[in-house]
Amino acid sequence: MSKPLPTFQDVLLARRTIAPYLPPTPLHHYPQLDTLLGASVFVKHENYQPIGAFKVRGGINFMAHLAPAERQRGVVTASTGNHGQSVAYAAQLFGVSAVIVVPEGANPVKVNAMRAYGAEVVFHGADFEASKRHCLTLEREQGLRFVSSGDEPLLIAGVATHTLEILEAQPDIDVILVPVGGGSGCAGACLVARTVNPHATVIGVGATGAPAGYLSWQARGERTAAIATQAAGLATGAPFLMPQQIMWQHLDDFVLVDDDEMMRAVRIYLEQAKTLAELAGAAPLAAAIKMRERLAGKRVALILSGGNTSPEELARCLEAS
């Protein structure tokens, strides 16, 4: 039986659920970025979360509502990094055992963090899709509760609280740019914006080298695509249909940026905002630069979804011309 789509009421409940564990993250205004974009720019610093990424909101909301029997079973999930950290962090908080399946070559910064939070990390497959398939095997063999990184209403409602905080702090935001990997953060932004400020435009940002989410949104149906991007947080080869259904209804636009554009945005964040972004986290800024004329004179919120870059990845960003 398919799960019901989350609602705005679920987002309000999620905020109450996660409040004892997570304070609101800053929404900072940077005049340097105003000058760059010709707009009034506000950055939502999800890279300041305990795990360095927005996903922890959903992980805590999910784990807080997990039934006692499922807590005893333990959970398994697939991740390129930030979702896995979220599940590991929340599982430790609530005393639940967690297995995280990651692709071979996953970001070592994120892998080490998962282990530090007490999770068992299993390397399997060349990409996220292969890791996700292996999760289903472990679910059958070990009786674990599988946690989808996209098709979980509690995860979407939890991460949506970042947009609730944005619009409470700046109710007259005109445009919100949010990264799209699995789509939970973007779907959550749509849920909140359509209720709190229906005049705000929500724009999803994906990677040119992983266009499955973009193609699915365009087609209003499932589309797969090869993965050829260094932005691990955006590297999904097949869409999650729950967030896609919300995006089909409410997302205003969807743009793609390439790795070079994201690398440039990482450097700009470091130089002009003195903050660290991973490639996926910098994607909204990359898109805003690409859409500069369209955003001119508007009040723009960029969701900096995570800052979990490795030293090697950061060096590549700084060395890129």
Side-chain angles (χ1 to χ4, degrees):
M1 185 173 65
S2 62
K3 299 173 183 176
L5 297 179
T7 66
F8 181 69
Q9 294 301 317
D10 294 323
V11 180
L12 296 179
L13 176 59
R15 178 169 64 175
R16 189 170 67 188
T17 299
I18 69 176
Y21 307 100
L22 299 173
T25 55
L27 182 69
H28 286 327
H29 173 234
Y30 294 99
Q32 303 96 314
L33 297 181
D34 290 359
T35 301
L36 176 67
L37 297 176
S40 185
V41 182
F42 298 84
V43 176
K44 184 60 169 169
H45 279 283
E46 292 300 290
N47 57 331
Y48 290 7
Q49 291 285 11
I51 68 164
F54 78 108
K55 292 278 191 179
V56 69
R57 297 173 180 270
I60 289 176
N61 192 48
F62 174 85
M63 215 64 69
H65 289 91
L66 201 59
E70 292 182 318
R71 290 189 185 185
Q72 290 183 348
R73 286 167 57 192
V75 299
V76 62
T77 195
S79 176
T80 57
N82 287 338
H83 167 69
Q85 287 184 84
S86 167
V87 170
Y89 182 92
Q92 185 179 64
L93 204 59
F94 289 92
V96 178
S97 63
V99 178
I100 317 295
V101 184
V102 302
E104 299 288 346
N107 184 328
V109 172
K110 299 179 182 182
V111 169
N112 290 338
M114 292 179 219
R115 287 175 171 153
Y117 297 134
E120 177 188 350
V121 178
V122 175
F123 289 88
H124 186 91
D127 56 31
F128 173 76
E129 300 305 325
S131 298
K132 187 168 64 176
R133 289 191 294 271
H134 188 59
C135 277
L136 301 179
T137 301
L138 296 180
E139 179 187 33
R140 290 191 302 270
E141 293 177 351
Q142 301 182 24
L144 301 169
R145 179 9 170 129
F146 173 62
V147 185
S148 169
S149 60
D151 292 332
E152 286 286 354
L154 290 166
L155 293 184
I156 296 173
V159 298
T161 58
H162 59 24
T163 301
L164 191 59
E165 291 173 10
I166 290 172
L167 293 177
E168 286 176 338
Q170 294 290 335
D172 53 352
I173 287 291
D174 297 309
V175 182
I176 301 170
L177 286 97
V178 55
V180 182
S184 62
C186 186
C190 289
L191 276 179
V192 172
R194 289 298 158 261
T195 303
V196 178
N197 180 3
H199 299 293
T201 298
V202 180
I203 300 175
V205 184
T208 304
Y214 171 78
L215 296 173
S216 299
W217 177 77
Q218 275 197 323
R220 299 299 194 267
E222 184 174 4
R223 298 291 185 273
T224 59
I227 298 172
T229 177
Q230 297 178 56
L234 306 181
T236 51
F240 290 96
L241 293 183
M242 180 175 288
Q244 279 283 340
Q245 288 177 64
I246 297 169
M247 291 158 60
W248 294 341
Q249 294 178 50
H250 302 300
L251 184 63
D252 295 295
D253 201 359
F254 198 139
V255 300
L256 299 178
V257 292
D258 63 32
D259 285 9
D260 287 342
E261 290 169 320
M262 286 185 273
M263 286 183 182
R264 180 190 178 201
V266 169
R267 295 199 309 277
I268 290 171
Y269 266 137
L270 193 59
E271 293 167 354
Q272 300 192 17
K274 308 302 185 287
T275 198
L276 187 63
E278 60 191 79
L279 291 174
L285 176 57
I289 294 169
K290 197 170 189 174
M291 302 166 59
R292 187 176 185 278
E293 292 184 4
R294 177 175 167 185
L295 300 179
K298 297 185 181 297
R299 293 171 61 82
V300 179
L302 307 176
I303 297 182
L304 201 175
S305 58
N308 291 310
T309 187
S310 67
E312 294 77 17
E313 183 177 85
L314 181 59
R316 288 194 296 271
C317 292
L318 296 177
E319 292 167 2
S321 60

